């Protein structure tokens, strides 16, 4: 329902009803229209110095028009305290049960179900962050954390990274799933896939964040930025995934899937869009695995005993353990014991082995993940090389076995082909004939 009014400087303000209101209601909630042509209303939880009121309804009192009616309705409100954010990062998690498990056409969403099955709580991300803020323990089925063992340094990392890599991470997937739901739901209006494409675009926006800019060259704080940071540590940047600089190969692949998914939704190819979504979800897990490796390496190989590094390793593990658990509960238990909040010891080799045995199940490859790279030495750190790097079995190079087998197979095929040609030739029916020869 469209609603219009005026700002404090008499600029037109456009909005829509955020939710239904019954006849005779004394209050309504209005969502401002935000586009390139409208003035912004930035209030919410911002400090006073950062607030912008140009696009807000006039402070104190004023009049609004609903659905273009001639009747004007008088309102009163406080521009500072009544303009609130309807969507919060905490809400991504606290609203997850209805949006991803119970009340959506495609519910329960596969990815979210994995995380719910592991943690036993619908708002696991919210509980992780709030426990870190308060210095308390979680009460999960698996993967508990006692933040009472941390000071501010560790709890700060658990909050920051838990917010981005647990709450926002899953909400990106939720928006992509919502887009597919919209695509699948039969509609009887023109451009019925507008909602689907809009939801897909929101997923892309939450993945990248506003600070990345239009070309990804900015410095953000969300998932796009994480992938770019980790590729520099793991030599997985660039189109070939073999560089320590440039755009992450994971980001390149994900944005290729984003573009393909958008096209499929525009065409109404819902099943094809699901393939794109599933691949995006798999690739989004790669920087989280890299994060676990990075901090396991720092703690185990480099002797970094700082609370900050231990907390970073713990939150990266918490963000990916449910997916590993879905493949192997035992492997997830191994990683948890080595990386959990308050872990008494950490073994990179144990962590790395637990993941590598399940990468295929998780939709990843050793090349996707790479290895912890020492830029100064121009080589991977000892014990932290990529899974496929110089992989041998019983002292015999596996790559040599594969190539030898392939070449041997080619030679065998060629030999049989030659014998067959000789047989045809002797029978007077050669396979290759002179094009000028007249065939009777």
């Amino acid at each position: 329902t469209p609603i219009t009014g005026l700002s404090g400087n008499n600029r037109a303000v456009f909005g829509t009803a955020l939710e239904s209101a019954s006849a005779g209601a004394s209050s309504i909630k209005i969502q401002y229209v935000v586009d390139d042509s409208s003035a912004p209303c930035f209030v919410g939880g911002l400090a006073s110095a950062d607030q912008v009121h140009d696009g807000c309804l006039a402070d104190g009192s004023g009049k609004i028009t609903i659905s273009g009616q001639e009747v004007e309705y008088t309102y009163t409100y406080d521009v500072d305290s009544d303009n609130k954010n309807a969507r919060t990062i905490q809400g991504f998690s606290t609203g997850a049960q209805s949006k991803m498990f119970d009340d959506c056409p495609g519910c329960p969403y596969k990815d979210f179900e994995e995380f719910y099955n592991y943690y036993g709580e619908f708002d696991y991300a919210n509980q992780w962050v709030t426990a870190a803020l308060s210095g308390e323990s979680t009460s999960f089925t698996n993967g508990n954390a006692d933040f009472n063992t941390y000071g501010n340094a560790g709890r700060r990392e658990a909050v920051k990274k838990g917010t981005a890599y647990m709450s926002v991470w899953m909400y990106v997937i939720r928006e992509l799933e919502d887009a597919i739901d919209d695509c699948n739901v039969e509609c009887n209006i023109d451009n019925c896939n507008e909602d689907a494409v809009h939801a897909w675009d929101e997923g892309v926006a939450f993945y990248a964040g506003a600070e990345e800019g239009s070309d990804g060259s900015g410095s953000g704080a969300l998932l796009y930025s994480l992938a770019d940071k980790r590729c520099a540590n793991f030599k997985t940047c660039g189109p070939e995934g073999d560089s320590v600089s440039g755009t992450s190969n994971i980001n390149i692949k994900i944005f290729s899937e984003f573009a393909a998914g958008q096209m499929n939704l525009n065409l109404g190819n819902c099943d094809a869009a699901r393939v794109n979504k599933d691949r995006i979800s798999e690739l989004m897990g790669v920087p989280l695995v890299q994060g676990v490796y990075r901090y396991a390496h720092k703690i185990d190989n480099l002797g970094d005993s700082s609370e900050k590094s231990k907390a970073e390793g713990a939150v990266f593990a918490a963000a990916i353990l449910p997916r590993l658990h879905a493949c192997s509960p035992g492997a997830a238990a191994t990683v948890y014991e080595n990386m959990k909040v308050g872990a008494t010891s950490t073994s990179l080799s144990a962590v790395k082995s637990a993941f590598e045995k399940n990468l295929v199940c998780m939709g990843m490859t050793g090349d996707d993940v790479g290895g912890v790279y020492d830029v100064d030495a121009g080589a991977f750190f000892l014990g932290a090389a990529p899974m496929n790097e110089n992989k041998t079995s019983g002292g015999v190079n596996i790559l040599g076995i594969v190539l030898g087998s392939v070449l041997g197979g080619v030679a065998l095929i060629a030999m049989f082909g030659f014998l067959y040609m000789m047989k045809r030739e002797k029978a007077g029916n050669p396979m290759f004939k002179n094009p000028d020869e007249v065939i009777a």
Side-chain angles (χ1 to χ4, degrees):
T1 303
I3 297 173
T4 58
L6 294 174
S7 67
N9 55 8
N10 288 321
R11 297 184 64 161
V13 175
F14 302 94
T16 58
L18 183 61
E19 56 189 39
S20 300
S22 58
S26 60
S27 65
I28 61 172
K29 292 184 178 181
I30 302 171
Q31 180 177 20
Y32 293 112
V33 172
V34 179
D35 57 35
D36 293 338
S37 62
S38 62
C41 178
F42 296 154
V43 183
L46 294 174
S48 297
D50 297 324
Q51 293 182 7
V52 179
H53 294 170
D54 292 349
C56 305
L57 288 170
D59 188 26
S61 62
K63 294 182 178 181
I64 58 172
T65 300
I66 301 176
S67 293
Q69 297 178 5
E70 294 183 2
V71 178
E72 291 185 321
Y73 297 88
T74 301
Y75 69 85
T76 59
Y77 93 128
D78 184 278
V79 70
D80 292 315
S81 61
D82 289 330
N83 281 303
K84 301 177 181 179
N85 292 319
R87 176 186 274 173
T88 65
I89 294 177
Q90 183 182 33
F92 292 172
S93 180
T94 57
Q97 181 176 357
S98 63
K99 292 183 177 181
M100 297 186 235
F101 200 85
D102 288 339
D103 300 329
C104 52
C107 279
Y109 296 150
K110 177 176 68 71
D111 298 281
F112 181 74
E113 189 173 25
E114 288 179 352
F115 281 67
Y116 171 70
N117 288 342
Y118 181 76
Y119 284 114
E121 299 288 344
F122 292 109
D123 65 332
Y124 64 88
N126 173 60
Q127 291 190 33
W128 171 279
V129 172
T130 54
L133 285 168
S134 62
E136 298 175 348
S137 299
T138 59
S139 299
F140 300 140
T141 304
N142 298 289
N144 276 305
D146 182 3
F147 292 106
N148 186 49
T149 63
Y150 279 171
N152 287 338
R155 288 164 57 192
R156 183 184 302 114
E157 294 303 321
V159 170
K160 288 197 307 181
K161 290 179 170 57
T163 298
Y165 308 149
M166 295 176 74
S167 190
V168 175
W169 189 93
M170 182 57 73
Y171 204 77
V172 170
I173 295 175
R174 183 265 164 184
E175 288 290 357
L176 304 183
E177 289 279 10
D178 185 46
I180 296 169
D181 283 349
D182 288 337
C183 182
N184 281 315
V185 172
E186 183 177 350
C187 55
N188 297 310
I189 59 174
D190 292 336
N191 299 318
C192 67
N193 280 320
E194 280 188 358
D195 287 344
V197 174
H198 178 76
W200 191 266
D201 287 349
E202 286 194 64
V204 177
F206 286 127
Y207 178 84
E211 297 300 315
E212 289 294 343
S214 60
D215 60 355
S217 62
S219 180
L222 296 179
L223 308 170
Y224 186 98
S225 176
L226 172 65
D228 276 356
K229 289 177 181 177
R230 290 294 85 91
C231 83
N233 305 136
F234 283 76
K235 200 181 180 184
T236 54
C237 303
E240 303 301 323
D242 58 359
S243 175
V244 293
S245 62
T247 302
S248 164
N249 185 253
I250 292 299
N251 277 335
I252 292 171
K253 290 177 178 177
I254 285 178
F255 268 80
S256 176
E257 297 291 341
F258 277 148
Q262 182 189 53
M263 179 188 69
N264 283 323
L265 291 170
N266 268 317
L267 296 173
N269 294 333
C270 311
D271 291 342
R274 171 156 300 286
V275 174
N276 301 130
K277 173 262 146 191
D278 287 344
R279 185 60 184 139
I280 290 167
S281 174
E282 292 171 346
L283 292 168
M284 282 173 59
V286 171
L288 303 180
V289 174
Q290 291 174 329
V292 179
Y293 283 10
R294 172 174 163 80
Y295 289 98
H297 162 72
K298 292 182 74 171
I299 296 166
D300 186 18
N301 290 353
L302 303 184
D304 185 348
S305 60
S306 68
E307 183 178 282
K308 180 179 183 295
S309 287
K310 290 182 177 181
E312 291 191 78
V315 72
F316 275 115
I320 195 63
L321 275 173
R323 181 159 290 175
L324 178 59
H325 182 268
C327 293
S328 170
T334 295
V335 174
Y336 172 71
E337 289 300 324
N338 279 272
M339 304 302 299
K340 68 181 179 180
V341 174
T344 56
S345 64
T346 299
S347 166
L348 171 62
S349 62
V351 168
K352 197 166 179 287
S353 176
F355 273 113
E356 287 181 348
K357 291 174 182 176
N358 294 281
L359 286 184
V360 173
C361 175
M362 297 171 71
M364 307 176 194
T365 68
D367 290 337
D368 288 333
V369 177
V372 187
Y373 193 71
D374 185 344
V375 176
D376 294 332
F380 293 102
F381 283 100
L382 184 66
M387 182 176 71
N388 300 325
E389 176 105 338
N390 298 323
K391 188 172 183 181
T392 62
S393 176
V396 181
N397 187 283
I398 288 178
L399 178 61
I401 293 175
V402 173
L403 288 176
S405 298
V406 170
L407 293 174
V410 170
L412 189 62
I413 292 171
M415 180 183 72
F416 279 113
F418 177 74
L419 293 175
Y420 177 69
M421 290 169 61
M422 289 291 293
K423 181 180 179 181
R424 290 276 301 267
E425 191 76 31
K426 289 180 178 179
N429 186 26
M431 292 182 65
F432 304 105
K433 302 176 182 178
N434 187 329
D436 297 326
E437 182 181 351
V438 178
I439 303 175

